[in-house]
Amino acid sequence: MLGRGLGVLGRAIREQPRIFAVSVVGSVLFSLLIIVTSYTVGTIVGEVVVPAFERGRADAALVALGAAALLAISLLRVVGIFGRRLGAGYMQFRLQASYRRRVTRQYLDLPLSWHHRHATGTLLSNANSDVEATWFPIAPMPFAVGTVVMLFAAIGSLFVTDWVLALVGVAIFPALFALNVVYSRRMAPRQARAQQLRAEVSAIAHESFDGALVVKTMGREAAETERFAARAGELRDALISVGRLRGIFDPMLETLPSLGTLAVLLVGSARLGQGAISVTELVSVAFLFTVLAFPVRAIGWVLAELPRSVAGWDRVQNVLTATGEMPYGADELPDTGRPVTLTFDRVRFGYAAGEAGPPDEPGDPQRAGPLSSADADPTPVLKDVSFTVPAGRTVAIVGPTGSGKSTIASLAVRLVDPQAGSVSLDGVDIRSLTAASLAANTALVAQVPFVFDDTVRSNVTLDRAGLTDDDVWRALRLAEADGFISALPDGLDTMVGERGTTLSGGQRQRLTLARALAGRPRLLVLDDATSAVDPRVEAAILAALRGGRVDAPERPAPTSILVVAYRRATIALADEVVYLEHGRVIARGTHPELLTTSPGYANLVTAYEKAEAERERERGFERDAAYQGEGVTL
């Protein structure tokens, strides 16, 4: 543990050498001045105070000289303290900020499959408390380094003063280090457990808050409170265990220097009686041991925090060394100003064990790792899927739950990569495109809309360069969102609340659709993106998308659209329908063609239609009840 902890500190020094040097210089200055202070005090006592008692009067000049010397030393110590603390604080906070950025950058680089295997609360803990724990020993580290220099200098000065007193010091200092080593070994597993429990408590809290609607509507408040309380209780017990061990060792670390002072006085008195040392030397050594107690504790502080630092470092490294990044290529898709052609060519894909797929498409619980192109697993999510979305056309993906519809949507915008086959835009494999080129040409509107706690304008533009308010309003009109946005108190400047809580489900979906349209994508992927929108509004949106350009509705020039659809009216608007079952393309054609040639498709669409009719009747009953409650006669 000591070796690993020092390795973490060594990395910190290599990353911030100049700042560390400044703080160590300040610390060494302060520490050496402690030795100077002890010998100055000894000299003042031996040469000024004792003679003054013997003569019955004090020499004013010598007193003034002694006071001036102590004042000068004190001022230099202030300079040392300032340099040490400023450098240590700056170094610590700079490392924390740097590693938080690295962890966050890694989160964004890792694929969704990795995120599906890790709780959000744990990821928050990695970026916050784990990074903080890793670099917590940085604050006392320069002080500890200066103290080590001071100890060697102090031992040297003790041998120069008297070898017998030096042996007392040599005996005390190793005892301090041995005690710290025992402390670190016992503390390591306790700190690791506490750090793990911090992440678990954070994960449970985040899950409970995020699912507040479910918790309340299902009456699970007490159960969730008990679940959180149980894990919080474990964290409490772990931290008490840490505190109990610290409570045992801290007094021992405090006592050793005091015992050293007592030993020096006892041995020194005998040596003074023998005439081996003078009063000045005895006072200097005794005072040195007295003031050593606090600086030596700095070493204890560093060693005490090393187990927690190593635990945090291991958890941070688990993120930074995680594999699965999807490297982007160097190709740029030519900007022709026209829609692109999307092609799936014999695409195969599956999810690993413990890896959640998109909604309604669970991962394979039997697998222990990611699929590969050579994998012989008989039940991947997608099996040799091939189809084309021609430029400017609309293709609907239809299939029962778990057939791979949302996975196709994710593959189309490269949220995941196929294990076999290829996905291409205008004949260019999307894996060879740069991140900027892919983002500029494609847009996905997911099943569950995500709205930031910001203004309408910021939610649509996402601070993308070049987007004006005119662009925002064009996108809102295409998404049939301009009406309700205009009615908001502050229009585009209206704050929509966390996750868009001030908006209805349909309004959130239209706002996220406008966000996608504002970027003028040449391929738009809609993953059941209008499920909460009124059917008439949905039809108007899709008609506008098919009949008008994204950036200028008044100039007909359609964009390519891939839509995961459930409603019959939505499906009927598509130029072609791709019907999936069990991850395979079963049939392709227009909606009327598939109704007559594919019984599975006809049965599914009919079931969708009945379910939608039932939902519409329920909405009608709710509206009637609301009107009657308001005294309105229908």
Side-chain angles (χ1 to χ4, degrees):
M1 177 58 64
L2 180 62
R4 294 183 64 205
L6 293 177
V8 174
L9 298 183
R11 176 179 289 271
I13 294 170
R14 290 192 298 273
E15 292 194 16
Q16 303 289 336
R18 294 182 180 178
I19 301 174
F20 178 72
V22 170
S23 59
V24 167
V25 167
S27 179
V28 169
L29 175 63
F30 172 80
S31 300
L32 293 180
L33 286 173
I34 289 178
I35 300 175
V36 173
T37 300
S38 66
Y39 280 91
T40 301
V41 170
T43 301
I44 292 173
V45 171
E47 302 299 330
V48 179
V49 177
V50 172
F53 277 109
E54 293 175 349
R55 292 193 301 265
R57 61 182 180 82
D59 189 325
L62 290 177
V63 171
L65 182 61
L70 290 176
L71 179 61
I73 293 172
S74 298
L75 291 175
L76 289 175
R77 288 177 65 180
V78 168
V79 172
I81 292 173
F82 179 78
R84 184 194 76 214
R85 290 190 174 180
L86 180 64
Y90 195 72
M91 182 179 179
Q92 180 185 33
F93 298 137
R94 190 167 184 173
L95 282 167
Q96 289 177 353
S98 172
Y99 272 80
R100 284 194 177 100
R101 288 193 296 268
R102 294 185 197 184
V103 169
T104 303
R105 181 71 261 176
Q106 179 73 340
Y107 285 162
L108 298 177
D109 288 340
L110 288 167
L112 285 180
S113 58
W114 186 88
H115 288 270
H116 292 156
R117 296 192 297 269
H118 297 82
T120 302
T122 300
L123 301 185
L124 291 173
S125 180
N126 291 149
N128 187 24
S129 64
D130 290 337
V131 169
E132 184 175 317
T134 298
W135 304 121
F136 196 83
I138 296 299
M141 182 175 66
F143 195 8
V145 172
T147 300
V148 170
V149 173
M150 180 191 67
L151 291 179
F152 282 105
I155 292 174
S157 66
L158 288 176
F159 274 104
V160 170
T161 301
D162 182 63
W163 67 272
V164 176
L165 294 180
L167 290 178
V168 175
V170 170
I172 292 295
F173 296 146
L176 282 171
F177 284 107
L179 187 61
N180 274 302
V181 168
V182 173
Y183 173 70
S184 296
R185 288 180 178 176
R186 292 182 177 274
M187 182 63 77
R190 290 173 170 81
Q191 288 283 20
R193 176 60 177 163
Q195 203 64 22
Q196 172 65 28
L197 286 171
R198 283 188 178 96
E200 293 178 9
V201 168
S202 176
I204 292 175
H206 181 274
E207 189 175 50
S208 297
F209 299 153
D210 211 30
L213 180 62
V214 175
V215 171
K216 284 188 170 294
T217 56
M218 300 297 292
R220 302 297 297 169
E221 295 93 339
E224 282 300 299
T225 301
E226 183 178 349
R227 185 166 74 106
F228 180 82
R231 196 52 51 90
E234 291 183 42
L235 176 59
R236 175 204 61 206
D237 294 341
L239 293 176
I240 288 175
S241 177
V242 169
R244 185 182 296 118
L245 186 63
R246 184 168 288 169
I248 294 172
F249 276 87
D250 277 359
M252 297 171 67
L253 292 172
E254 287 275 6
T255 302
L256 274 178
S258 300
L259 292 176
T261 302
L262 180 61
V264 164
L265 289 174
L266 292 174
V267 175
S269 298
R271 298 289 288 171
L272 180 64
Q274 298 169 0
I277 60 174
S278 65
V279 173
T280 297
E281 292 170 330
L282 176 59
V283 172
S284 297
V285 174
F287 185 82
L288 178 61
F289 270 82
T290 302
V291 297
L292 275 179
F294 179 72
V296 167
R297 288 209 65 195
I299 301 175
W301 294 334
V302 173
L303 295 177
E305 292 298 333
L306 284 185
R308 182 185 174 198
S309 175
V310 170
W313 174 253
D314 287 343
R315 293 172 60 80
V316 169
Q317 283 300 104
N318 286 339
V319 175
L320 297 181
T321 60
T323 58
E325 299 93 333
M326 297 190 303
Y328 288 93
D331 296 338
E332 298 281 344
L333 200 63
D335 186 7
T336 63
R338 297 190 299 272
V340 295
T341 297
L342 171 68
T343 304
F344 275 61
D345 183 18
R346 298 187 298 278
V347 169
R348 186 165 178 263
F349 184 84
Y351 292 100
E355 178 183 327
D360 301 328
E361 293 174 19
D364 181 358
Q366 302 301 318
R367 292 197 48 80
L371 296 171
S372 67
S373 58
D375 205 307
D377 190 333
T379 56
V381 176
L382 297 178
K383 310 167 209 176
D384 298 320
V385 170
S386 298
F387 67 89
T388 299
V389 180
R393 308 299 292 274
T394 299
V395 173
I397 304 294
V398 179
T401 298
S403 59
K405 302 182 298 297
S406 291
T407 298
I408 286 177
S410 297
L411 286 162
V413 294
R414 209 189 167 206
L415 292 180
V416 292
D417 280 338
Q419 278 92 34
S422 65
V423 180
S424 60
L425 297 176
D426 281 349
V428 179
D429 192 315
I430 61 175
R431 287 171 290 196
S432 68
L433 296 176
T434 65
S437 181
L438 186 63
N441 288 281
T442 64
L444 168 69
V445 185
Q447 292 179 348
V448 180
F450 186 88
V451 178
F452 294 93
D453 185 8
D454 209 331
T455 64
V456 172
R457 179 187 291 102
S458 294
N459 267 284
V460 174
T461 64
L462 293 183
D463 293 329
R464 287 172 286 185
L467 290 183
T468 65
D469 281 0
D470 288 340
D471 297 319
V472 172
W473 283 113
R474 286 195 195 98
L476 290 171
R477 282 195 295 272
L478 267 178
E480 295 289 325
D482 56 319
F484 78 83
I485 295 298
S486 299
L488 293 175
D490 299 312
L492 295 180
D493 294 315
T494 301
M495 297 292 295
V496 296
E498 185 178 6
R499 294 178 179 262
T501 52
T502 62
L503 305 176
S504 69
Q507 289 173 335
R508 288 195 294 271
Q509 284 193 332
R510 281 181 277 173
L511 185 60
T512 54
L513 176 58
R515 175 194 300 158
L517 297 176
R520 302 175 176 86
R522 297 164 65 192
L523 170 68
L524 181 63
V525 180
L526 305 176
D527 185 5
D528 194 25
T530 53
S531 58
V533 176
D534 184 276
R536 292 183 296 274
V537 176
E538 181 188 36
I541 293 172
L542 293 176
L545 294 177
R546 296 180 73 243
R549 282 187 59 178
V550 171
D551 60 334
E554 67 276 3
R555 296 173 55 193
T559 185
S560 304
I561 301 174
L562 177 66
V563 55
V564 175
Y566 293 88
R567 289 174 174 170
R568 186 182 189 120
T570 305
I571 299 170
L573 289 173
D575 298 299
E576 183 181 34
V577 178
V578 176
Y579 177 58
L580 298 176
E581 279 186 5
H582 305 298
R584 294 187 183 277
V585 176
I586 302 301
R588 294 173 57 182
T590 64
H591 172 61
E593 290 172 350
L594 295 186
L595 284 177
T596 58
T597 60
S598 177
Y601 174 80
N603 292 336
L604 183 65
V605 171
T606 300
Y608 284 162
E609 193 170 23
K610 290 180 179 178
E612 182 62 30
E614 181 62 29
R615 283 194 294 268
E616 282 300 310
R617 280 196 295 271
E618 291 176 358
R619 292 191 189 106
F621 291 147
E622 291 172 359
R623 286 194 296 267
D624 291 348
Y627 288 143
Q628 291 172 7
E630 295 172 2
V632 178
T633 302
L634 300 178

